Amino acid sequence: MGPSMVGAYHMSNSSSATTITRRGAIGAIAVGLAGLAGCADSEEMDDPSDNGNHSDDGDSNGHDGNGDANGEEGFEREIPDRDIEPDWEEAAAFRTWLTDADPFNGGNRRFDYTEEFPEGTDFGSVFPEYFEVSSETVDAHLIQSLTQVFFGSFDQDAILAGVEDDDEYEFVEEYEGFAVIDAPIPNTAGRRDIAVGESAIVIGPDYEERIDAHRGSHDRLEDIDQEFTHLFRQFPHRTTLTGEYNAPEGSDVSLDEIYIWGVSSESPMADTMTWVFILEEGAEPTDDIVAELEGISDDVHDTEVEGRTVTITGGAPNVSPGPDE
């Protein structure tokens, strides 16, 4: 897999746990666009020949549609009982594209979303020129479980005309208004699925699940687990967001009591961020637990505790200077 845009969105590791530079993180966004574009269709998938399609009897997690998340070997999750429902009329549109699917056994369902792109982000590493995908046509970007969704305004007819003249690309089918294209993975011999719509482009073998979830005919992440709805309501920002199950990987915060966590900011490289930790049902946010959670930031400005939810606002983690800085 290529360098991850996921890590570039939110450097939520403390200075002792990472050597990523701010300049390097910006570069990782551009490079990660190409690297992640093909990962979901690579040999890391259990069965890439099935294109990620699943029957209506269940999804890739062994769910039967009733929120039972214990279908995966080595991964069991008891969803807390929270009386809350998402308001889909008010919710950010990208939330309708999040699912509880994950190609990896025990995956953490991590998502990274941003509407802010560093200057010089190169979308040309992901798409041929005739797709006309650029910072002028892309409004936002989502990664979850190695699937990417580009939000914006796209000329589907022009893209299909370009595909017709491109020997490496092939139109496969139409699915719910999206043109599904079989395409090469950049810099590899692999192939990937690209579903092109007028307002979204999906790259990943689970494009059907994503499109169906967006349309409301497949369970969304928040249909399965309302703790994520609670998480979204705690975020003060709407333009750059990350969330996942369990503790932040690679950070100094590794508490088993963390059920899900997330972080929001105005942009991927903002100086101030807000982290939200939701503890497991029955866990108490003791002084020791809160103190360890505050280790996520090198400069904590404010900490709020309400029930199982701990919200920390602080400075972005310090990072080691690179050789050119």
Side-chain angles (χ1 to χ4, degrees):
M1 184 190 307
S4 173
M5 187 194 297
V6 167
Y9 275 3
H10 282 119
M11 296 180 298
S12 53
N13 302 337
S14 71
S15 58
S16 62
T18 182
T19 58
I20 296 176
T21 66
R22 285 182 175 269
R23 186 175 301 172
I26 291 175
I29 289 181
V31 178
L33 285 167
L36 285 175
C39 286
D41 285 10
S42 71
E43 294 178 358
E44 294 178 38
M45 300 293 292
D46 290 336
D47 184 7
S49 64
D50 68 2
N51 283 329
N53 300 331
H54 306 282
S55 70
D56 292 335
D57 296 331
D59 65 19
S60 60
N61 302 315
H63 293 175
D64 56 11
N66 63 4
D68 179 8
N70 298 329
E72 289 188 73
E73 180 182 353
F75 181 66
E76 294 186 356
R77 174 174 15 114
E78 292 187 9
I79 298 175
D81 184 16
R82 188 181 291 274
D83 186 16
I84 188 174
E85 291 185 1
D87 182 349
W88 294 117
E89 295 295 325
E90 298 293 332
F94 85 91
R95 289 164 55 182
T96 66
W97 293 85
L98 298 175
T99 73
D100 194 43
D102 200 297
F104 303 108
N105 212 19
N108 57 20
R109 306 337 186 235
R110 177 163 179 150
F111 62 85
D112 293 81
Y113 172 80
T114 191
E115 298 173 6
E116 300 292 332
F117 300 99
E119 185 177 352
T121 299
D122 180 18
F123 295 96
S125 61
V126 185
F127 303 101
E129 186 175 349
Y130 59 81
F131 272 60
E132 295 187 351
V133 175
S134 68
S135 58
E136 295 181 356
T137 59
V138 176
D139 298 326
H141 180 264
L142 170 69
I143 296 176
Q144 190 196 25
S145 303
L146 303 184
T147 292
Q148 298 189 76
V149 185
F150 294 81
F151 303 96
S153 179
F154 310 106
D155 190 334
Q156 188 184 67
D157 290 338
I159 291 173
L160 287 176
V163 166
E164 188 173 353
D165 295 331
D166 191 331
D167 293 338
E168 292 189 313
Y169 286 72
E170 180 182 0
F171 171 73
V172 177
E173 63 175 348
E174 185 274 340
Y175 184 80
E176 301 295 349
F178 283 74
V180 181
I181 298 167
D182 175 60
I185 299 174
N187 304 315
T188 77
R191 308 291 295 179
R192 58 179 175 165
D193 294 318
I194 302 178
V196 178
E198 297 289 345
S199 59
I201 295 178
V202 185
I203 302 179
D206 62 345
Y207 63 86
E208 289 189 5
E209 282 185 359
R210 300 285 173 174
I211 295 170
D212 290 346
H214 172 63
R215 297 176 62 252
S217 57
H218 185 283
D219 280 342
R220 298 166 178 166
L221 179 62
E222 294 174 70
D223 294 326
I224 299 296
D225 194 340
Q226 289 74 43
E227 292 293 85
F228 281 97
T229 302
H230 176 65
L231 177 70
F232 283 120
R233 293 187 180 182
Q234 310 311 305
F235 286 145
H237 312 99
R238 296 292 181 265
T239 52
T240 302
L241 310 171
T242 287
E244 67 179 342
Y245 284 110
N246 306 323
E249 293 186 13
S251 76
D252 288 344
V253 177
S254 57
L255 292 170
D256 292 337
E257 290 88 348
I258 297 173
Y259 181 71
I260 60 174
W261 75 279
V263 58
S264 75
S265 61
E266 293 182 356
S267 70
M269 305 306 296
D271 291 329
T272 301
M273 300 177 177
T274 297
W275 291 266
V276 178
F277 296 92
I278 301 175
L279 305 183
E280 292 181 339
E281 200 165 34
E284 295 290 334
T286 64
D287 290 344
D288 288 343
I289 285 179
V290 172
E292 181 163 345
L293 294 177
E294 288 180 331
I296 200 70
S297 172
D298 290 325
D299 182 19
V300 175
H301 303 164
D302 181 65
T303 299
E304 297 180 7
V305 178
E306 183 175 351
R308 295 185 288 113
T309 304
V310 179
T311 303
I312 298 168
T313 300
N318 290 328
V319 291
S320 302
D324 58 345
E325 296 187 271

